[in-house]
Amino acid sequence: MIVGYDDGHIRCWSTQKKAGQQDMLWQLSAHRGSITCVRESPLFIVTSGHDCAVRFWHRTTRELLTTFTNHRKPPNDILIDAALPNIVHSGAEDKLVVSYDLKTNKPLIQHFTQHSMITSLSQRKDLEKEVVSCSLDGKILFWDVDYPDPTGALEAPGGNPIRFRCCEVSPSGRYIAAGADDSRLYIYDLASCGCIQECEGHVGGITQVRWSPDQKQIVTGGKDGRSEERRVGKERRSRW
């Protein structure tokens, strides 16, 4: 288990307990300032921090492979491309979604949204495997590495002012779940491009969301310190 800390280190912990404790296997000084995101693939670990840098580390030797400094504010999320594992995307408070190509060791494209900071990234499983971003202006945008502008958008239901903090595409690729500061989880159907369900349960903003592999349940974490598990139903609004 790899964890990022406020002291700029990432630390790897064993999931096996010995004498009631878990061993730290290694640690690495990765950034100046706190770590904002950690992701890993079989070949590399990618991190971002409050120094606004995105860094790639060798998975085995943990040597620094390369550093990108395209962002002017700390990245909030990092996404390793599901179709092309040499492509990595980052989204930040500076309203940028940046795609990097590790084969050429350079940024592939910079997407810019004029209205609000990017808070989370996911990826479609159909069409062109577009990157999905959510932001504090209540929009879910779709990005293709071949085009600088969004290729599509989902609006907040009813035109309400919603501040999205996290999003994830479902395992089948048909739905998107997005958590917001208003403590609600919004579920969108990509077939109709509409919001089909609003879920309540937290008493603070939702900061993380994950689908179960069978797509029947969603797990969320929030600012209230609670984690909630809910079953996806057909009704418009549900409480758990």
Side-chain angles (χ1 to χ4, degrees), residues 137-141 153-160 162 164 188 193-195:
D137 61 358
K139 290 184 178 180
I140 296 175
L141 300 177
L154 297 176
E155 300 286 346
N160 298 322
I162 297 174
F164 285 129
Y188 290 83
C193 295
C195 181

Side-chain angles (χ1 to χ4, degrees), residues 161-201:
I162 297 174
R163 294 163 60 90
F164 285 129
R165 291 287 179 179
C166 55
C167 67
E168 184 170 74
V169 177
S170 69
S172 71
R174 177 166 178 177
Y175 304 101
I176 294 177
D181 276 351
D182 64 0
S183 76
R184 292 181 179 179
L185 181 73
Y186 296 84
I187 301 176
Y188 290 83
D189 187 341
L190 288 175
S192 63
C193 295
C195 181
I196 60 171
Q197 194 170 356
E198 298 177 25
C199 305
E200 299 176 356

Side-chain angles (χ1 to χ4, degrees), residues 15 18 24 60 71 89 93 99 133 156-157 164 177 207 215 218-219:
T15 57
K18 295 182 180 179
M24 186 176 69
T60 304
H71 289 292
H89 316 275
E93 299 175 8
S99 299
S133 72
F164 285 129
T207 57
Q215 200 171 279
I218 304 173
V219 179

Side-chain angles (χ1 to χ4, degrees), residues 63 99 136 143 160:
E63 292 180 81
S99 299
L136 295 184
W143 307 94
N160 298 322

Side-chain angles (χ1 to χ4, degrees), residues 16 61 71 80 95 132 141 154 167 184 200 203 205 210 218 220 235:
Q16 304 298 320
T61 66
H71 289 292
I80 299 174
K95 307 176 185 178
V132 179
L141 300 177
L154 297 176
C167 67
R184 292 181 179 179
E200 299 176 356
V203 294
R210 292 291 183 268
I218 304 173
T220 58
E235 61 275 4

Side-chain angles (χ1 to χ4, degrees), residues 72-91:
R72 300 183 300 277
K73 291 186 177 181
N76 284 320
D77 204 0
I78 295 172
L79 175 71
I80 299 174
D81 197 277
L84 300 170
N86 59 296
I87 304 296
V88 175
H89 316 275
S90 62

